[in-house]
């Protein structure tokens, strides 16, 4: 049975969404993409434009037949986010947008009120909105109500590498929003974190810093690709439930016991 992730009419070749910022060089970024073959590449229009190399950066990504997911990183208001999304649609020729509206400078936690407002506006403008959000099931329900078919709760604050801070909340969201594409976004630090998210039944994992800032980014990209594949396979295979006591893997029936007798 095919296990292809599909968003709208787009079939993705992988469940890894790979960010493209902070790499030591464009060459290393390219090699990381080659070895991991992600299903989507995320890119910040604001960051690349500010660096004065937006078109050059886009030309690098064009060399890969991989869908691009622009984001509104660095936006703090609805107007900023909507304007950036419209620019991204024009530059990258896609109606996909990873919506970020930051509410706290320290944790980079998204502002739930502004996020919801911006999401509704962008859905009305014809965007497929991928909202970066906290693991709040109430907010998820509100985003669903305005037309978001993809939900992207954080594992931990962006770039923290802390992994899945609240597995209960993430599991609850997976159980409640069964028909949505759920992507763990932000805070992933190790391949084991990504595998754990996939073992919960999440559809994909989005990460950037854990690869870009690794000692060997290319090899780390490969490791994450393998971990996401392994986590998905484990979820589909049916992971056994944890028990409070041991359960022998070898039957004890007819097992010989040797007794030592004194002479």
């Amino acid at each position: 049975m095919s296990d292809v992730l599909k968003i709208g009419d787009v079939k993705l070749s992988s469940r890894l969404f790979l960010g493209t910022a902070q790499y030591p060089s464009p060459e290393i970024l390219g090699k990381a993409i080659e070895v991991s073959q992600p299903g989507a590449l995320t890119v910040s229009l604001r960051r690349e434009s500010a660096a004065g190399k937006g078109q050059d950066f886009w030309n690098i990504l064009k060399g890969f037949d991989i869908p691009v997911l622009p984001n509104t990183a660095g936006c703090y208001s609805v107007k900023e986010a909507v304007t950036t999304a419209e620019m991204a649609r024009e530059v990258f020729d896609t109606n996909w947008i990873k919506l970020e509206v930051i509410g706290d400078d320290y944790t980079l936690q998204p502002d739930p009120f502004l996020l919801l407002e911006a999401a509704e506006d962008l859905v009305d403008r014809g965007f497929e909105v991928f909202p970066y959000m906290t693991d709040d099931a109430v907010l998820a329900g509100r985003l669903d109500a305005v037309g978001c078919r993809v939900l992207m709760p954080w594992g931990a604050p962006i770039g923290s590498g802390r992994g899945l801070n609240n597995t209960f909340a993430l599991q609850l969201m997976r159980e409640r929003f069964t028909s949505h594409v759920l992507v763990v976004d932000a805070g992933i630090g190790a391949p084991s974190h990504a595998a754990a998210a996939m073992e919960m039944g999440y559809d994909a994992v989005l990460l950037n810093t854990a690869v870009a800032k690794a000692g060997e980014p290319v090899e780390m990209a490969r490791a994450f690709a393998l971990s996401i594949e392994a986590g998905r396979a484990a979820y589909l295979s049916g992971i056994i439930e944890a028990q409070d006591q041991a359960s022998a893997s070898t039957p004890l029936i007819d097992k010989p016991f040797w007794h030592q007798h004194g002479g």
Side-chain angles (χ1 to χ4, degrees):
M1 180 177 66
S2 175
D3 182 43
V4 174
L5 176 58
K6 188 175 181 182
I7 299 177
D9 295 328
V10 181
K11 293 182 179 179
L12 304 185
S13 61
S14 166
R15 294 172 182 272
L16 167 63
F17 290 12
L18 187 64
T20 56
Q22 306 182 75
Y23 287 81
S25 70
E27 291 75 22
I28 290 177
L29 168 61
K31 290 178 181 178
I33 294 172
E34 287 176 7
V35 301
S36 62
Q37 291 296 303
L41 295 169
T42 66
V43 57
S44 169
L45 177 67
R46 289 168 63 90
R47 181 182 296 115
E48 297 309 324
S49 296
K53 54 183 180 181
Q55 192 59 49
D56 291 341
F57 186 78
W58 179 217
N59 288 335
I60 293 173
L61 299 187
K62 280 182 178 179
F64 298 96
D65 186 23
I66 297 174
V68 171
L69 174 61
N71 66 41
T72 62
C75 292
Y76 287 80
S77 71
V78 172
K79 183 178 180 180
E80 261 190 311
V82 171
T83 300
T84 302
E86 291 284 14
M87 292 172 60
R89 178 156 61 180
E90 182 177 345
V91 171
F92 298 111
D93 191 27
T94 178
N95 66 343
W96 284 11
I97 192 72
K98 176 189 169 184
L99 178 60
E100 298 183 33
V101 187
I102 301 303
D104 182 78
D105 283 327
Y106 182 72
T107 63
L108 298 181
Q109 178 175 327
D111 184 310
F113 308 103
L114 299 184
L115 179 70
L116 182 60
E117 184 181 343
E120 185 171 15
D121 190 340
L122 290 171
V123 169
D124 288 343
R125 293 168 183 258
F127 283 90
E128 181 76 66
V129 178
F130 296 59
Y132 163 61
M133 56 181 293
T134 57
D135 48 26
D136 184 340
V138 175
L139 175 59
R142 298 292 177 84
L143 289 166
D144 168 45
V146 301
C148 295
R149 298 181 294 177
V150 179
L151 300 172
M152 304 180 70
W154 68 356
I158 293 173
S160 68
R162 295 179 60 87
L164 309 181
N165 274 355
N166 193 339
T167 55
F168 172 78
L170 291 171
Q171 186 67 60
L172 180 64
M173 193 175 296
R174 178 68 285 179
E175 292 171 359
R176 287 191 176 183
F177 297 92
T178 56
S179 62
H180 287 66
V181 172
L182 297 188
V183 183
V184 170
D185 176 14
I188 298 296
S192 57
H193 300 156
M198 299 305 295
E199 288 171 4
M200 281 187 195
Y202 271 74
D203 296 289
V205 172
L206 192 157
L207 55 96
N208 188 164
T209 306
V211 170
K213 294 294 187 179
E216 296 288 345
V218 176
E219 287 307 306
M220 187 61 77
R222 188 198 312 274
F224 270 107
L226 292 172
S227 71
I228 288 171
E229 184 178 344
R232 180 64 179 176
Y235 170 73
L236 294 177
S237 300
I239 299 171
I240 66 171
E241 293 186 8
Q243 301 182 69
D244 293 331
Q245 62 186 30
S247 176
S249 58
T250 302
L252 298 179
I253 298 175
D254 296 330
K255 180 177 179 180
F257 290 90
W258 300 94
H259 301 277
Q260 183 176 2
H261 299 280

